[in-house]
Amino acid sequence: MNMPKVTRCDATECSYNMQNVCHALAITVGDETHPRCDTFMSVGKKGGDMGATAKVGACKVANCRYNQSFECTASGIQVGPEADEADCLTFEPM
Ligand code: SF4
Ligand code: SF4
C-alpha cells in the first residue's frame, strides 16, 4: 500500500501550510463521522519539513469509498474548507 500524497491544501492558516502545500510528513484524516484533517493546527508560526509534501498516514472515515481498513487508497487527496476549515475534499461517501 502506498500512502497518497496531499496534492493541495487550501487551509492556508494551518501551521503546516506554505503556499497551498502541506509540509507535515504525514497527516491523519477524520474522526469516525467527518473527513476533517485531524493534523490541522494554527499556532501562529509555520512548521513541518519544507522539503517534504505530506502524505495520508491514516484515515478514520470508514464510510469513504477510498477507505480500506482505515487507510486511504485514493491516488492523492485535496484538502480545503468545506463543512470545516480543513476537510478532505476527495471524500466520497459510500
Ligand atoms: S490542514 Fe492538514 S493538509 Fe492542510 S496544511 Fe494543515 S495539516 Fe496539512
Ligand atoms: S479520500 Fe476518503 S479515505 Fe482518503 S483521506 Fe479522504 S476521507 Fe479518508
Side-chain angles (χ1 to χ4, degrees), residues 27-51:
I27 67 166
T28 299
V29 175
D31 54 28
E32 283 165 32
T33 55
H34 187 85
R36 69 172 58 84
C37 176
D38 201 34
T39 308
F40 171 90
M41 67 169 187
S42 182
V43 294
K45 111 181 205 196
K46 294 292 182 182
D49 180 343
M50 291 305 147

Side-chain angles (χ1 to χ4, degrees), residues 7-85:
T7 56
R8 180 183 174 91
C9 177
D10 291 328
T12 51
E13 69 277 23
C14 176
S15 293
Y16 290 111
N17 193 303
M18 283 283 282
Q19 296 176 322
N20 304 98
V21 175
C22 177
H23 292 288
L25 292 179
I27 67 166
T28 299
V29 175
D31 54 28
E32 283 165 32
T33 55
H34 187 85
R36 69 172 58 84
C37 176
D38 201 34
T39 308
F40 171 90
M41 67 169 187
S42 182
V43 294
K45 111 181 205 196
K46 294 292 182 182
D49 180 343
M50 291 305 147
T53 302
K55 294 183 172 178
V56 182
C59 177
K60 297 175 233 172
V61 189
N63 72 333
C64 175
R65 67 177 286 254
Y66 294 112
N67 195 297
Q68 191 180 312
S69 302
F70 303 111
E71 299 292 352
C72 179
T73 64
S75 54
I77 73 157
Q78 295 195 28
V79 176
E82 200 170 67
D84 222 332
E85 69 264 70

Side-chain angles (χ1 to χ4, degrees), residues 77-94:
I77 73 157
Q78 295 195 28
V79 176
E82 200 170 67
D84 222 332
E85 69 264 70
D87 281 346
C88 175
L89 303 176
T90 310
F91 167 73
E92 270 191 42
M94 284 200 284

